[in-house]
Amino acid sequence: MVRATSVEKAFGGLKVLKGIDITVQRGEVACLVGPSGSGKTTFLRCVNHLEQITGGRLYVDGVLMGYRERGDKLHEMSPRDAGKQRRDIGMVFQHFNLFPHMTALQNIIEAPTQVRGVKKSEAIETARGLLARVGLDGKEKAYPAQLSGGQQQRVAIARALAMKPKLMLFDEPTSALDPELVGEVLKVMRQLAVDGMTMIVVTHEMGFAREVADRVVFMDGGVVVEEGPPSEVISNPQHERTRTFLRRMRQEEHAEEQV
Amino acid sequence: MGRAVRRDQDRRDQRGDELTHIGSRVEVAGAGNASGDPIKAVPLRRPGRWIAAFVVLALLVLFVYGAATNDNFQWDTYRKYVFDKRISEGAWVTVQVTFWAMLIGVVLGVVLAVMRLTPNPVLQSVSWLYLWIFRGTPVYVQLVFWGLFTSLYPHMAFGIPFGPRFVHFDIQTVDAAFFFATIGLGLNEAAYMAEIVRAGISSVDEGQTEAACALGMSWGLTMRRVVLPQAMRVIIPPTGNELISMLKTTSLVVAVPLSTDLYNQQAQIAGVIFRPIPLLMVAATWYLAITSVLMVGQYFLEKRFSRGASRKLTGRQLEALANAMHVTGGGM
């Protein structure tokens, strides 16, 4: 589903991604973990071309993202064509980014009706189904400001699902939430994984990664340090950097528990 | 709790009593019984407020009484001219100039703001240059300049440069004064509107465009459906200000010269009958009346575009919530 080969990304002279190779199969859940500044989020944003990659190739569902290959030359893609590619990739942001001037329902039907041209009545029906699926039936008329962080993030997941994506990207979906609200969002994501959605999740929730991920990718300094099933990367890391990071994460978790 | 006994004590103790009362209520609520009596506290006395209000009211009454009984205001002349046909016609011209000038200002202002926000450096600079000139010179000077426009360009034509002309008209024959007054005020206004619109668009969080982009929405769709509706909340109040300010700035169009607007109509009448004060009051009354109508319009526009901006629930939502809680008989 996703194939990245030596993907590079530089902001001016600053190289953030230094040759990333990642493959995610259809129906797989991949968790990107690593210290902040390691390039996890940047890589995620490259997958749906919110950032333009500056080296390597990135294919989603067999299609090159952001460029067209003609002969041996790459042509930049027009914004319109890039938009068409993004439609099939759902994205959930750390800070939800719901449209505050629209109700929960309006947020969900916006893209299907405006971008895909789905009939409004049909879109509303789908949206109600999705709201029920994320456990928010009855909240369709609420504006984002009237919802808790966890509820907002669940609406955001429903909004992304409304476009019937082939792939879902999660950018630290629980990092901006109060600890007691993290569970409700993870529960929705777990269910999505069970339903067979292909997902790439940038997260600090090691428990979630261990339980749900098919593959854990540990990144540091713009490269993939280690990857594999969680039983290997999390429970039995081979690299010193992975071990240090996991040890620090564990300490923080303990500290939180003691508080 | 001994409340009845304590209530008979002096005032000072009573405040303490109310405090303990609040404290005990919290405990009761904590125990799971929230149906205690609502607090009936003795309101705090605020003599300062009463004195201040009285002083201000007294001054106001004195002023109104003084004005009403002062013969120099010539209220009979005021009454005679307040609904004079020339005045109401002048007011109509003022409203028309305001409307068209503001329309030019808003449309051109949006164009300039978008030019300023594009990555194209040529468009950015042109927009900046426009702002520099039109904001940096007095509107009165600009209006005089527009009045002299016909001596600069007596003929205007639309066509391809050095090629065929499609339309050609003699600027002297159109209602030139009204035309140039509107253009002059409109182009000046565009410079201010551009900054207001730019501030509005910049105030919308970047995450909004990103989310729209990730959903596959195009730039135009994102602007129209996501960014501008949110920017409107920031744009409308200062635009209302600009509109009201424009209404009053129209009194400068005599510089073009256009002399059929409200201010110049009253000045002409005042010049003939030699009574400037009552006619100024007439003009002020009309300006105030029009401004009041505009303010009502602004109130409703602001309400329309503040949807979702507050956590507060509307009356209708509160009612629905209360009904829902009544049915389920529980909390949220």
Side-chain angles (χ1 to χ4, degrees):
Chain A
M1 179 59 92
V2 178
R3 187 156 53 89
T5 50
S6 46
V7 165
E8 291 180 9
K9 172 66 190 174
F11 293 99
L14 184 71
K15 254 195 177 176
V16 182
L17 299 180
K18 301 167 185 163
I20 304 279
D21 295 281
I22 290 178
T23 308
V24 181
Q25 304 295 337
R26 190 180 300 274
E28 240 184 3
V29 177
C31 282
L32 302 185
V33 299
S36 56
S38 60
K40 305 168 300 214
T41 292
T42 305
F43 176 75
L44 200 71
R45 292 164 60 87
C46 286
V47 173
N48 72 348
H49 197 51
L50 276 182
E51 305 284 356
Q52 193 162 26
I53 60 174
T54 50
R57 299 279 191 279
L58 211 160
Y59 298 88
V60 174
D61 214 12
V63 183
L64 183 65
M65 287 302 289
Y67 296 94
R68 274 193 205 300
E69 230 166 354
R70 290 203 198 107
D72 54 351
K73 264 192 182 163
L74 283 185
H75 295 261
E76 263 184 59
M77 200 174 251
S78 73
R80 173 193 287 264
D81 290 335
K84 275 188 189 148
Q85 289 189 324
R86 285 191 197 105
R87 285 178 199 181
D88 299 328
I89 305 175
M91 181 146 188
V92 175
F93 297 87
Q94 183 177 0
H95 296 288
F96 332 133
N97 298 0
L98 288 177
F99 306 133
H101 58 302
M102 299 182 191
T103 62
L105 190 81
Q106 286 169 337
N107 262 286
I108 298 171
I109 66 170
E110 178 67 16
T113 53
Q114 298 289 329
V115 179
R116 283 221 198 272
V118 177
K119 255 193 281 164
K120 199 173 171 190
S121 52
E122 215 173 291
I124 289 177
E125 209 172 302
T126 317
R128 292 212 171 111
L130 285 168
L131 276 175
R133 195 162 148 199
V134 298
L136 286 174
D137 33 357
K139 289 283 184 194
E140 60 181 66
K141 283 191 184 135
Y143 284 98
Q146 296 161 350
L147 297 172
S148 75
Q151 291 172 331
Q152 287 189 52
Q153 192 62 297
R154 285 185 280 154
V155 173
I157 293 173
R159 178 175 70 173
L161 289 176
M163 290 296 275
K164 304 202 164 65
K166 295 182 273 191
L167 166 71
M168 284 285 282
L169 308 175
F170 293 85
D171 182 13
E172 305 199 20
T174 57
S175 299
L177 297 177
D178 290 341
E180 80 266 26
L181 301 178
V182 169
E184 59 190 61
V185 172
L186 291 183
K187 192 176 143 206
V188 168
M189 290 169 62
R190 207 171 285 136
Q191 189 55 49
L192 260 183
V194 169
D195 294 345
M197 176 63 78
T198 314
M199 294 159 63
I200 304 182
V201 186
V202 172
T203 187
H204 291 295
E205 298 290 332
M206 288 304 147
F208 176 81
R210 187 177 299 140
E211 183 195 341
V212 179
D214 298 299
R215 179 199 302 268
V216 173
V217 180
F218 176 74
M219 284 175 69
D220 192 11
V223 293
V224 174
V225 176
E226 193 167 350
E227 71 166 311
S231 53
E232 285 172 20
V233 179
I234 297 180
S235 309
N236 186 23
Q238 299 303 308
H239 281 260
E240 184 51 39
R241 273 195 281 181
T242 318
R243 265 179 241 145
T244 321
F245 173 74
L246 288 172
R247 208 177 303 130
R248 212 179 318 128
M249 291 298 291
R250 228 166 278 140
Q251 277 166 358
E252 270 172 36
E253 269 170 36
H254 281 306
E256 259 172 38
E257 272 165 26
Q258 278 164 12
V259 168
Chain B
M1 216 184 294
R3 257 171 70 204
V5 182
R6 280 210 213 153
R7 188 164 275 175
D8 293 330
Q9 295 178 353
D10 65 0
R11 291 198 71 89
R12 257 213 204 125
D13 273 346
Q14 186 145 9
R15 284 173 86 185
D17 176 52
E18 295 304 338
L19 276 179
T20 28
H21 184 39
I22 291 166
S24 59
R25 242 182 72 80
V26 172
E27 271 171 33
V28 170
N33 177 10
S35 60
D37 298 329
I39 298 172
K40 283 185 206 132
V42 177
L44 184 64
R45 301 212 167 165
R46 297 186 160 90
R49 280 188 192 176
W50 285 99
I51 294 169
F54 177 78
V55 169
V56 170
L57 268 181
L59 286 174
L60 195 65
V61 167
L62 274 177
F63 175 78
V64 170
Y65 179 78
T69 54
N70 185 341
D71 287 339
N72 294 332
F73 277 102
Q74 298 160 336
W75 292 111
D76 50 334
T77 316
Y78 172 88
R79 274 190 292 277
K80 191 173 159 197
Y81 284 100
V82 71
F83 293 120
D84 189 284
K85 193 156 179 259
R86 282 166 291 176
I87 296 289
S88 54
E89 276 171 4
W92 177 233
V93 171
T94 289
V95 168
Q96 280 178 302
V97 172
T98 306
F99 175 80
W100 291 111
M102 209 56 202
L103 192 70
I104 295 173
V106 170
V107 172
L108 192 57
V110 171
V111 173
L112 286 166
V114 171
M115 278 168 72
R116 199 71 194 279
L117 293 169
T118 55
N120 186 330
V122 175
L123 295 188
Q124 275 178 26
S125 317
V126 169
S127 173
W128 182 86
L129 191 72
Y130 184 97
L131 251 72
W132 182 59
I133 292 172
F134 279 86
R135 228 168 40 155
T137 54
V139 66
Y140 194 82
V141 172
Q142 287 174 32
L143 286 172
V144 174
F145 177 85
W146 285 109
L148 298 172
F149 193 78
T150 47
S151 27
L152 286 173
Y153 307 97
H155 305 288
M156 273 176 80
F158 288 107
I160 299 164
F162 311 112
R165 286 178 173 182
F166 303 131
V167 193
H168 173 239
F169 59 95
D170 191 347
I171 213 93
Q172 315 274 10
T173 58
V174 295
D175 192 353
F178 184 86
F179 181 73
F180 284 120
T182 313
I183 295 274
L185 289 172
L187 294 191
N188 180 258
E189 185 57 36
Y192 292 91
M193 280 310 300
E195 286 297 274
I196 292 172
V197 173
R198 188 168 70 106
I201 292 176
S202 314
S203 76
V204 178
D205 181 35
E206 216 183 340
Q208 293 291 308
T209 28
E210 254 174 29
C213 194
L215 287 166
M217 291 168 81
S218 65
W219 184 84
L221 200 58
T222 305
M223 270 290 163
R224 192 162 55 81
R225 302 279 308 180
V226 177
V227 176
L228 283 177
Q230 293 182 61
M232 286 309 259
R233 207 162 52 82
V234 177
I235 292 174
I236 285 175
T239 304
N241 253 351
E242 289 296 312
L243 181 60
I244 287 166
S245 161
M246 172 66 82
L247 179 79
K248 296 174 297 177
T249 312
T250 54
S251 57
L252 295 181
V253 292
V254 71
V256 172
L258 174 69
S259 52
T260 52
D261 75 300
L262 176 56
Y263 179 80
N264 293 298
Q265 285 285 23
Q266 72 75 26
Q268 278 162 28
I269 300 173
V272 172
I273 64 169
F274 226 72
R275 284 178 180 176
I277 290 173
L279 278 151
L280 272 179
M281 300 299 283
V282 166
T285 308
W286 277 86
Y287 280 119
L288 206 54
I290 301 170
T291 307
S292 311
V293 173
L294 296 179
M295 281 167 73
V296 172
Q298 185 180 352
Y299 169 79
F300 283 106
L301 263 183
E302 276 181 27
K303 219 171 137 189
R304 168 83 169 69
F305 281 103
S306 66
R307 278 178 310 172
S310 162
R311 300 187 60 132
K312 274 196 204 136
L313 302 171
T314 61
R316 214 187 304 163
Q317 283 173 315
L318 272 176
E319 202 179 310
L321 199 61
N323 287 340
M325 282 176 63
H326 189 70
V327 171
T328 56
M332 291 177 71

